[in-house]
């Protein structure tokens, strides 16, 4: 007969639920890991970061930032946590608060398409259209087809692109991206819930 452990180990929580695609479940599992006695510092940093991401995906950026703060106190060189905190600040309408984070994340991981995209958004918000466009193109170069599909979908939602969402960086995609960068308030990314099926 198999014995079922009544209290999962920190490794079980981390490996199974704290990185679940079900974000409510992830929040609960990461909280359990954070609260579990004897959780190591590396596991704590990951748990805070994973819980913060779940809050962010659900649009609760004000809950995500304190968790990113705690994660970064434990692991100050986490490029992912730095970028994600910068994105949370951007989504809260405070992009300047995330500017230093995104630069530090790029120092650590200069070829991260997600971090390049975050910096592109911050630069676009600042009015640095040339810098924003270069960063979007760098995100495309390092992120390839999945990033292009996201941009194509977002540009289509902005009525700037009418081509296929095929992950190819065509002249039409480039022109649509240029038009978006030149337009105040245009975001080449789709809303968080859109295009998930197409881009996965």
């Amino acid at each position: 007969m198999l014995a079922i452990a009544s209290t999962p180990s920190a490794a079980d929580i981390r490996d199974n639920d704290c990185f679940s695609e079900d974000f409510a479940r992830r929040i609960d599992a990461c909280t359990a890991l954070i609260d579990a006695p004897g959780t190591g510092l590396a596991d704590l940093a990951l748990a805070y970061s994973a819980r913060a991401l779940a809050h962010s995906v659900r649009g609760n950026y004000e809950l995500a930032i304190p968790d990113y703060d705690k994660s970064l106190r434990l692991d100050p060189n986490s490029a992912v946590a730095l970028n994600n905190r910068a994105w949370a600040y951007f989504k809260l309408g405070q992009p300047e608060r995330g500017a230093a984070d995104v630069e530090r994340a790029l120092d650590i991981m200069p070829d991260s398409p997600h971090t390049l995209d975050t910096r592109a958004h911050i630069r676009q918000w600042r009015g640095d259209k040339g810098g924003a466009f270069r960063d979007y193109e760098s995100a495309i170069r390092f992120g390839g087809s999945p990033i292009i599909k996201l941009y194509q979908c977002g540009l289509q939602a902005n009525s700037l692109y009418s081509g296929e969402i095929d992950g190819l960086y065509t002249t039409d995609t480039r022109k649509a991206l240029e038009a978006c960068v030149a337009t105040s308030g245009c975001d080449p990314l789709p809303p968080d819930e859109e295009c998930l099926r197409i881009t996965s």
Side-chain angles (χ1 to χ4, degrees):
M1 174 183 272
L2 292 172
I4 307 293
S6 59
T7 306
S9 70
D12 289 338
I13 296 169
R14 182 189 69 237
D15 294 340
N16 297 324
D17 294 332
C18 195
F19 291 95
S20 171
E21 294 296 318
D22 177 338
F23 292 108
R25 185 174 176 185
R26 177 187 290 207
I27 289 167
D28 291 343
C30 290
T31 300
L33 179 58
I34 289 164
D35 293 341
T39 301
L41 296 181
D43 285 335
L44 274 175
L46 285 172
Y48 278 120
S49 186
R51 186 172 74 177
L53 179 61
H55 285 311
S56 290
V57 169
R58 298 177 87 189
N60 297 321
Y61 301 104
E62 69 286 346
L63 296 176
I65 289 172
D67 274 355
Y68 285 129
D69 292 345
K70 291 171 186 168
S71 178
L72 287 164
R73 276 196 289 277
L74 295 165
D75 182 7
N77 293 318
S78 171
V80 171
L82 285 162
N83 173 65
N84 289 349
R85 184 170 68 178
W87 184 251
Y89 278 125
F90 177 80
K91 295 297 275 185
L92 279 174
Q94 302 170 27
E96 288 299 338
R97 292 191 69 188
D101 281 350
V102 80
E103 294 299 338
R104 176 133 169 73
L106 284 169
D107 285 344
I108 297 165
M109 195 181 326
D111 58 355
S112 166
H114 301 288
T115 309
L116 287 160
D117 174 80
T118 299
R119 187 171 71 180
H121 277 80
I122 292 171
R123 285 180 165 178
Q124 187 176 355
W125 177 85
R126 288 176 168 166
D128 178 5
K129 295 174 184 176
F133 186 73
R134 285 190 301 276
D135 278 345
Y136 285 128
E137 285 203 310
S138 293
I140 286 169
R141 185 171 63 252
F142 291 115
S145 181
I147 296 292
I148 296 167
K149 286 181 179 180
L150 278 175
Y151 290 158
Q152 287 172 329
C153 188
L155 294 166
Q156 202 171 68
N158 280 291
S159 301
L160 295 171
Y161 176 73
S162 59
E164 294 293 321
I165 298 176
D166 56 10
L168 300 175
Y169 192 49
T170 62
T171 302
D172 287 344
T173 305
R174 187 177 199 277
K175 285 181 181 176
L177 184 58
E178 284 177 321
C180 185
V181 171
T183 304
S184 179
C186 183
D187 187 346
L189 287 177
D192 290 339
E193 295 303 317
E194 285 186 25
C195 302
L196 188 58
R197 181 185 56 77
I198 293 169
T199 57
S200 59

